[in-house]
Amino acid sequence: MDELTIFGLTSTSCAFMENFIVSARKYRPDTFNTVVAQDTITSTLKNAIRSKQLAHSYLFCGPRGVGKTTCARIFAKTINCSNLTHDTEACNQCESCLAFNNNRSYNIHELDAASNNSVDDIRNLIDQVRIPPQIGSYSVYIIDEVHMLSSQAFNAFLKTLEEPPRHALFILATTEKHKIIPTILSRCQIFDFNRIKVGDIVQYLDHVAREEKISIEQSALNVIANKADGAMRDALSIFDQIVSFSGREITYQDVITNLNVLDYEYYFRLTDHFLRNEVADTLLIFNEVLDSGFEGQHFIGGLAGHFRDLLVSRDPATIQLLEVGGDIRDRYKAQAANCPPDFLLEALRISNECDFQYKISQNKRLSVELALVRIAQLTLKKK
Ligand SMILES: [Zn+2]
């Protein structure tokens, strides 16, 4: 019976998936205005295009999945567009734009330095650089993960970077700026991309969900955004994963189960028990968490994070540091109001210390339990 149900579910979601284009691809921004949360960068690039003050080489730095390659592609398309909009965006209609949108433009060359990092790879690229573009004005060379180039390759590249042909424009992208040699850095205009805030990711996923006619709880979006850790690309692919698993009606519980996230529900419950000095209950909850397959350190780190969130929720000035929205924000505020400030500080200190000592501890389970016992007795001493 169970098997049959599972079978039924799987086949429904398969049929559904056929019509569902992976949103990471479908919702990739194709104009500067649709890039999420990198406004300073996109407006600087647009200004440069408008005033025709383009550099020959750019370095895009920042964490993975925040839009570096996407911005590089949009930039390449825009500077080759023959019919720019008033707002300095690509028209998406001219021959060059259409070629870009269909991935058949000869004006853009991408090299992934993570897998092509030899001198020969760079020499091939340098040979291509000399050839002027057929349509459009610029040939754009995007070198992804440029810090992975071998030092010989770097040196071979330096000369081209110093004296590039008029039509060539380089966009180097890296997640590790500190690994780029100073001679390269000094020749590039540098842009630092931000990690994308949870709130911005939630807002964008909400937009995608509405477009796709998928109903999803706000708290579920929050979990996905947190899990993505600042990377929009990850957020979209997690979103896809959840949709293929749960269909068009997605609850908070679906997401928690699917991502195996340590639910903040545990921490709200724990804190209530701490305040009532119910030691046994806290130990049982910890046991429940371990039984669900979570690591002790993951648990204690999450607990420290919960106390931190409660702490910032106490003060209207710091509540903006709480990266959750909606109903959950109110729950944090309510629980924070019940916690004496010195309890929060001390609980944060104990859990943080336990997290710190966890790796070297001989009896890891015991050290977490000890921390729970100590926290559960904090308000007892006062009474
Ligand atoms: Zn165009």
Side-chain angles (χ1 to χ4, degrees):
M1 179 65 190
D2 269 348
E3 266 174 31
L4 210 78
T5 324
I6 293 166
F7 213 81
L9 264 175
T10 322
S11 60
T12 335
S13 50
C14 276
F16 173 58
M17 271 310 277
E18 279 167 26
N19 302 324
F20 188 80
I21 303 170
V22 176
S23 50
R25 213 171 351 131
K26 185 170 173 189
Y27 290 93
R28 173 174 272 227
D30 64 350
T31 55
F32 285 123
N33 284 349
T34 47
V35 173
V36 178
Q38 306 293 356
D39 298 355
T40 331
I41 290 173
T42 52
S43 66
T44 311
L45 290 174
K46 275 163 84 170
N47 277 335
I49 298 170
R50 196 177 305 128
S51 58
K52 299 193 166 56
Q53 295 197 316
L54 298 180
H56 269 294
S57 31
Y58 293 87
L59 181 65
F60 288 1
C61 318
R64 52 185 294 276
V66 297
K68 298 187 297 296
T69 316
T70 302
C71 274
R73 288 182 187 146
I74 295 172
F75 189 51
K77 179 167 78 175
T78 313
I79 58 178
N80 279 302
C81 174
S82 59
N83 189 21
L84 282 182
T85 68
H86 291 300
D87 192 23
T88 331
E89 294 277 8
C91 72
N92 280 323
Q93 280 163 4
C94 70
E95 177 50 35
S96 169
C97 281
L98 290 179
F100 266 96
N101 289 351
N102 295 322
N103 290 326
R104 56 175 173 80
S105 175
Y106 291 110
N107 295 55
I108 185 165
H109 309 263
E110 296 189 41
L111 180 81
D112 181 10
S115 45
N116 308 283
N117 54 6
S118 71
V119 181
D120 286 339
D121 292 318
I122 277 294
R123 289 218 175 103
N124 284 338
L125 186 130
I126 294 169
D127 286 341
Q128 285 181 53
V129 170
R130 297 200 194 103
I131 310 165
Q134 298 294 304
I135 33 169
S137 332
Y138 296 96
S139 281
V140 179
Y141 295 84
I142 300 175
I143 307 183
D144 228 344
E145 299 300 346
V146 68
H147 62 273
M148 302 282 275
L149 285 182
S150 67
S151 56
Q152 281 170 307
F154 255 128
N155 287 331
F157 183 51
L158 205 54
K159 214 176 160 93
T160 310
L161 204 58
E162 270 167 351
E163 292 165 13
R166 185 188 284 270
H167 60 262
L169 196 147
F170 297 97
I171 302 175
L172 317 179
T174 182
T175 47
E176 302 185 49
K177 187 179 168 185
H178 59 278
K179 288 188 182 164
I180 311 285
I181 53 174
T183 36
I184 300 261
L185 285 179
S186 65
R187 280 166 184 81
C188 295
Q189 195 171 333
I190 300 171
F191 287 88
D192 291 299
F193 283 66
N194 295 322
R195 190 180 158 268
I196 303 171
K197 290 204 182 83
V198 170
D200 288 330
I201 296 184
V202 168
Q203 209 179 358
Y204 193 68
L205 290 180
D206 195 39
H207 158 76
V208 173
R210 266 183 283 123
E211 290 285 306
E212 294 294 323
K213 304 207 165 32
I214 289 165
S215 96
I216 179 163
E217 291 176 1
Q218 198 73 16
S219 47
L221 290 179
N222 253 312
V223 176
I224 299 176
N226 267 307
K227 181 90 175 176
D229 195 25
M232 186 62 86
R233 189 173 51 212
D234 291 1
L236 286 167
S237 57
I238 297 170
F239 180 79
D240 285 342
Q241 182 192 326
I242 307 275
V243 171
S244 66
F245 174 82
S246 316
R248 289 186 184 271
E249 302 274 336
I250 302 167
T251 62
Y252 169 76
Q253 201 52 48
D254 291 335
V255 175
I256 291 293
T257 314
N258 189 281
L259 296 181
N260 202 22
V261 168
L262 195 46
D263 190 356
Y264 49 65
E265 211 54 60
Y266 284 118
Y267 297 123
F268 277 116
R269 269 165 61 204
L270 266 173
T271 307
D272 286 338
H273 289 304
F274 286 142
L275 292 171
R276 292 196 296 261
N277 314 113
E278 292 162 348
V279 176
D281 296 273
T282 66
L283 296 180
L284 289 174
I285 291 181
F286 177 46
N287 188 52
E288 202 181 317
V289 170
L290 290 178
D291 279 350
S292 317
F294 290 103
E295 260 286 311
Q297 183 149 31
H298 190 49
F299 167 79
I300 198 76
L303 183 61
H306 185 73
F307 289 132
R308 177 263 183 206
D309 287 342
L310 289 174
L311 204 63
V312 301
S313 306
R314 287 187 59 87
D315 189 336
T318 52
I319 190 141
Q320 52 172 319
L321 301 176
L322 189 66
E323 285 207 291
V324 296
D327 304 345
I328 315 152
R329 184 178 276 255
D330 294 335
R331 283 190 67 187
Y332 274 101
K333 272 201 243 175
Q335 187 163 68
N338 285 330
C339 296
D342 48 348
F343 161 79
L344 280 182
L345 279 176
E346 197 55 21
L348 185 57
R349 197 184 60 77
I350 295 170
S351 49
N352 196 39
E353 203 171 84
C354 177
D355 187 14
F356 190 69
Q357 299 285 338
Y358 190 87
K359 277 216 171 72
I360 52 167
S361 165
Q362 293 293 325
N363 190 339
K364 297 181 191 310
R365 181 177 180 137
L366 183 66
S367 69
V368 174
E369 287 174 338
L370 204 60
L372 295 178
V373 173
R374 287 171 66 199
I375 298 170
Q377 290 180 331
L378 284 175
T379 54
L380 193 66
K381 286 176 197 158
K382 255 196 165 166
K383 286 170 196 163

